[in-house]
Amino acid sequence: MTRLLLSYPLGVDTPVYKDNPPVVIEQQSSIAQGDPYNQFIVSSLNHNGTHIDAPWHFNPQGKKISEIPIDDFIFNYPVIIDIPKSDDELITKADLEPYEHLIAGADLLLIRTGFGRIRSSDPERYANHNPGLTASAAQYLMIFDSLRAIGIDMISAGAANHPEEAVAFHQMILGKGRVDGKYILVIEDLNLNLNLTHITKVYAIPLYIAGVDSSFATVFTED
């Protein structure tokens, strides 16, 4: 069995979306300085690094991250599709429609734009000029009954320079205003720069933090 890690380690160099506050890691005690143990204080916005948007992020009636059962973060029918996009470009319904035969039956859709390749080399561009999905893309994805999550190789599913589309996408995909309770989780800032052809299972395990909308996640595959 081979496992691939799709999440990035959280650190002080983690790119942050637009003007979000950065990750701060402070050593609180140090063996090297005479303390009996090492210990750190980690401070971060809950949307820094690889994380999962739960419904309450944009849906006032939606579930918080700690209210979602652990089984909902295990995916047995993942599919990856390539939709190349560059700075500030948008993914629309028309971009997704050619992959309908792949999306149907999937419980996790991984969308690889290629933008993730610049995460280390140009973090400022990665954070401020990311592609994003549109409301039409969200509306299209919501028709697939089996689809429970999408994952993307961008800092956010909402393009930094298309704020209205970013809000509209998140509201729709996270189920705002729906009476049936349907939503699709959004996993952001994934490392998809890997050969994922043969994956058969994906675990996207959040840090369960009570009372918050979303949380950091460790995401890995099985094949």
Side-chain angles (χ1 to χ4, degrees), residues 90-151:
L90 294 174
I91 297 171
T92 66
K93 174 185 177 182
D95 290 311
L96 295 166
E97 285 178 321
Y99 302 98
E100 182 171 346
H101 63 293
L102 294 175
I103 302 171
D107 54 8
L108 170 63
L109 175 65
L110 299 174
I111 302 173
R112 182 165 51 197
T113 66
F115 203 71
R117 289 193 294 265
I118 69 164
R119 187 182 190 271
S120 296
S121 61
D122 197 343
E124 185 174 347
R125 178 183 164 200
Y126 180 77
N128 293 286
H129 292 281
N130 63 296
L133 289 97
T134 62
S136 72
Q139 186 174 27
Y140 179 69
L141 292 171
M142 291 293 274
I143 71 172
F144 295 96
D145 291 336
S146 62
L147 191 62
R148 295 189 285 109
I150 66 165

Side-chain angles (χ1 to χ4, degrees), residues 54-67:
W56 199 51
H57 185 36
F58 275 85
N59 177 358
Q61 281 75 49
K63 292 181 179 180
K64 300 170 184 176
I65 194 73
S66 63
E67 297 171 336

Side-chain angles (χ1 to χ4, degrees), residues 2-183:
T2 303
R3 291 189 175 95
L4 297 173
L5 184 64
L6 303 187
S7 50
Y8 293 103
L10 190 69
V12 296
D13 295 325
T14 293
V16 297
Y17 186 64
K18 299 176 75 171
D19 57 355
N20 284 345
V23 178
V24 177
I25 300 177
E26 176 186 358
Q27 188 156 8
Q28 190 268 342
S29 61
S30 168
I31 294 174
Q33 295 183 7
D35 297 313
Y37 52 83
N38 291 312
Q39 185 164 277
F40 291 81
I41 299 170
V42 180
S43 302
S44 178
L45 190 80
N46 63 329
H47 290 266
N48 286 340
T50 303
H51 65 279
I52 301 173
D53 286 351
W56 199 51
H57 185 36
F58 275 85
N59 177 358
Q61 281 75 49
K63 292 181 179 180
K64 300 170 184 176
I65 194 73
S66 63
E67 297 171 336
I68 300 173
I70 191 68
D71 286 350
D72 288 5
F73 299 107
I74 301 171
F75 304 96
N76 294 299
Y77 304 100
V79 167
I80 185 161
I81 61 175
D82 288 286
I83 302 179
K85 294 290 180 180
S86 190
D87 301 52
D88 306 317
E89 293 183 338
L90 294 174
I91 297 171
T92 66
K93 174 185 177 182
D95 290 311
L96 295 166
E97 285 178 321
Y99 302 98
E100 182 171 346
H101 63 293
L102 294 175
I103 302 171
D107 54 8
L108 170 63
L109 175 65
L110 299 174
I111 302 173
R112 182 165 51 197
T113 66
F115 203 71
R117 289 193 294 265
I118 69 164
R119 187 182 190 271
S120 296
S121 61
D122 197 343
E124 185 174 347
R125 178 183 164 200
Y126 180 77
N128 293 286
H129 292 281
N130 63 296
L133 289 97
T134 62
S136 72
Q139 186 174 27
Y140 179 69
L141 292 171
M142 291 293 274
I143 71 172
F144 295 96
D145 291 336
S146 62
L147 191 62
R148 295 189 285 109
I150 66 165
I152 44 102
D153 63 343
M154 305 175 289
I155 197 167
S156 172
N161 292 310
H162 295 276
E164 292 183 3
E165 284 287 358
V167 170
F169 169 81
H170 278 93
Q171 288 176 337
M172 187 168 295
I173 205 78
L174 296 176
K176 183 180 180 182
R178 293 183 70 99
V179 297
D180 60 1
K182 179 177 172 59
Y183 61 85

